């Protein structure tokens, strides 16, 4: 007899069936990650094989597993940081090279404490395995959410063309949203197609390479135009060869343009260093008429101040330069005031005697620094935000430290212009430099103005030392490398003219960088010096000569 089901009874049946389904499915779902972890652990253990063939198969197994710890393990193996513990052959990753060695489990990343070097042994790799590791890491990193990681991975695939990568490259090109990453993937795929036999595919690959600036693209296109020992073209197809030649010419034209821009940037950065070193001298020499041979040592004091500041705040290197800039200004500025009050003020109007006196002071400062810090060079750390380079494309990269120095030089220059044009000190400096007797008659304390002017120029020299500490080692002879160049910049630009110092310094920096490739660094400096001598013969007052009574004096 059929009994109709009530709504309450139907609900109980549905609930029972749902619970049974959850009990059935839940273990299967829980087993999935366990199975993946087990496969990953087995692959990691296989890396400890005794021959490279088995290691190669273990490395390729990572491509199918796609475990989140695959990249750290493979990277450690590539960098020689993957070891196994001798007592249980457990695969571990080393952190550093100093004993005791800190180790972590390769599978889980869990710290395993420290061991001695005799307790572990490195998992060795050969060149073929290194190539496989780089390619596999690149393939795995293409799935990263970080565009910079994907870009580095795509460029690695450009360096190592592999037919097995073709489906992955096609898929990556279709889904990629970042233009630079997509361009690198297209280059990798095009280089891969160039190795094929299909003529139409090879022609399309060459056309796709026209927009690429990668060195590998130029190298491969150049190989299509090569000839063998008998003078015959290695590439037999005329159309392929002609298209490759045309594409290569177009690429080289673009590369030359970017090389010009890069060379111009390095010339401006060198010129900025010269301006920064010379701008303080433009005040003491140009405005006060003092030949200060100790100017280079004041730059050196600024560099050593940066070194001392970093010693005092080792855990805050990122902010050390912001402390070092005012500190260097004060240290070098006070040293300049002491030099002016102690020596220079007795020698105004006698430039040759100031030259000899300040040369002696420069030797004293050098020996003082040697006695305190030793004659050895001191390395000043570069903050992270100044490290690396801004890569615009494969043919153009601008280093951050030089870019920031260019900006810093302009900031110092315009700050100095404001001081001299918009402050009472600047007004008094100009008055004293133009007519000292009249300025004194008007109630201006010329002695105080002389001290402040010399201190200002010396302080800016110290600031220049902060910048130079980021480009070169800090040593007792640092200033000697820039004192002659500083005088040349001041004389070439026009004695006492700050705009002349800026234009002169940048011009000489750019000229040096464009002459160096074909003349060499030393001959380039000699050619620039010869040009300056000839220029001064024709225009003895420089590019921007002073006008008025000051110029006549």
């Amino acid at each position: 007899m059929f009994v109709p089901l009530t709504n309450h009874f139907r609900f109980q049946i549905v609930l029972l069936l749902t619970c049974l389904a959850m009990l059935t499915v839940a273990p299967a779902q829980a087993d999935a990650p366990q199975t993946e972890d087990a496969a990953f652990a087995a692959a990691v253990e296989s890396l400890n094989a005794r021959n490279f063939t088995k290691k190669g198969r273990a490395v390729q197994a990572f491509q199918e597993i796609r475990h989140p710890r695959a990249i750290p393990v493979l990277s450690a193996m590539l960098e020689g940081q993957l070891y196994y513990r001798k007592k249980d052959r457990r695969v571990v990753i080393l952190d550093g090279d100093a004993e005791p060695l800190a180790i972590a489990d390769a599978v889980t990343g869990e710290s395993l404490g420290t061991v001695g070097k005799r307790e572990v042994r490195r998992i060795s790799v050969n060149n073929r395995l290194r190539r496989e590791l780089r390619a596999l890491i690149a393939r795995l990193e293409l799935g990263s959410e970080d565009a910079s990681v994907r870009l580095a991975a795509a460029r690695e695939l450009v360096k190592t063309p592999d037919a097995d990568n073709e489906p992955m490259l096609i898929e990556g090109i279709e889904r990629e949203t970042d233009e630079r990453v997509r361009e690198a993937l297209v280059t990798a795929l095009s280089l891969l197609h160039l190795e094929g036999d299909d003529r139409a595919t090879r022609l399309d690959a060459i056309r796709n390479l026209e927009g690429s600036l990668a060195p590998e693209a130029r190298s491969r296109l150049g190989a299509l135009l090569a000839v063998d020992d008998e003078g015959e073209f290695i590439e037999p197809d005329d159309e392929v060869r002609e298209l490759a030649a045309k594409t290569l010419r177009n690429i080289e034209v673009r590369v030359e343009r970017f090389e010009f821009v890069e060379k111009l940037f390095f010339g401006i950065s060198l010129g900025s260093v010269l301006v920064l070193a010379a701008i303080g001298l433009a005040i003491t020499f140009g405005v006060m008429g003092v030949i200060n041979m100790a100017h280079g040592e004041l730059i050196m004091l600024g560099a050593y101040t940066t070194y001392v500041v970093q010693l005092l705040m080792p855990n805050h290197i990122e902010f050390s330069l912001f402390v070092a800039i005012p500190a260097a200004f004060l240290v070098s500025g006070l040293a300049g005031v002491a030099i002016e009050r102690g020596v220079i003020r007795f020698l105004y109007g006698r430039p040759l005697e100031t030259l000899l006196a300040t040369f002696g002071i420069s030797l004293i400062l050098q020996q003082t620094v040697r006695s305190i810090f030793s004659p050895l060079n001191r390395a000043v750390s570069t903050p992270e935000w100044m490290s690396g380079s801004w890569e615009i494309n494969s043919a153009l990269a601008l280093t951050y430290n030089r870019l920031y120095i260019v900006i810093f030089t302009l900031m110092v220059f315009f700050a100095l212009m404001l001081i001299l044009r918009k402050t009472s000190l600047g007004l008094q400096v100009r008055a004293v430099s133009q007519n000292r007797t009249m300025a004194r008659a008007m109630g201006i304390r010329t002695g105080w103005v002389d001290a402040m002017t010399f201190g200002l120029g010396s302080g800016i020299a110290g600031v220049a030392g902060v910048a130079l500490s980021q480009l070169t080692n800090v040593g007792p002879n640092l200033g000697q490398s820039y004192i002659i160049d500083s005088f040349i910049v001041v004389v070439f630009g026009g004695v006492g003219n700050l705009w002349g110092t800026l234009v002169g310094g940048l011009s000489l920096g750019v000229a040096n960088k464009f002459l160096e490739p074909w003349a060499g660094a030393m001959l380039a400096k000699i050619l620039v010096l010869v040009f300056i001598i000839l220029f001064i013969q024709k225009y003895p007052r420089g590019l921007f000569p002073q006008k008025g009574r000051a110029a006549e004096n």
Side-chain angles (χ1 to χ4, degrees), residues 13-35:
I13 292 175
V14 171
L15 183 61
L16 178 61
L17 292 174
T18 303
C19 291
L20 289 172
M22 291 176 64
L23 290 172
T24 305
V25 174
Q29 291 176 338
D31 287 344
Q34 291 177 5
T35 303

Side-chain angles (χ1 to χ4, degrees), residues 59-60 62-63 74 132-141:
V59 167
Q60 292 306 318
F62 282 86
Q63 188 170 350
L74 295 173
E132 292 179 3
L133 285 168
R134 290 191 186 97
L136 178 56
I137 291 170
R139 287 197 290 269
L140 294 175
E141 288 179 340

Side-chain angles (χ1 to χ4, degrees), residues 196-211:
D197 298 325
D198 185 70
R199 183 169 177 271
T201 303
R202 298 181 73 204
L203 290 172
D204 288 339
I206 293 173
R207 294 188 187 98
N208 289 333
L209 288 175
E210 185 165 0

Side-chain angles (χ1 to χ4, degrees), residues 6 63 177 223 260 262 293 348 490 492 505 515:
T6 63
Q63 188 170 350
T177 56
F260 175 84
E262 189 174 53
M293 294 300 294
Y348 283 119
V490 172
F492 176 60
L515 287 172

Side-chain angles (χ1 to χ4, degrees), residues 206-236:
I206 293 173
R207 294 188 187 98
N208 289 333
L209 288 175
E210 185 165 0
S212 175
L213 295 171
E216 293 80 9
R218 282 178 278 160
S219 175
R220 187 66 187 89
L221 290 172
L224 293 176
L225 307 177
V227 295
D228 57 21
D229 295 336
E230 298 178 358
E232 298 292 333
F233 286 106
I234 295 177
E235 172 56 52

Side-chain angles (χ1 to χ4, degrees), residues 5 79 94 188 257 328 367 375 386 405 500 544:
L5 297 174
E79 295 165 4
L94 261 64
R257 290 173 184 169
Q367 190 56 47
M386 285 187 71
I405 285 176
F544 297 91

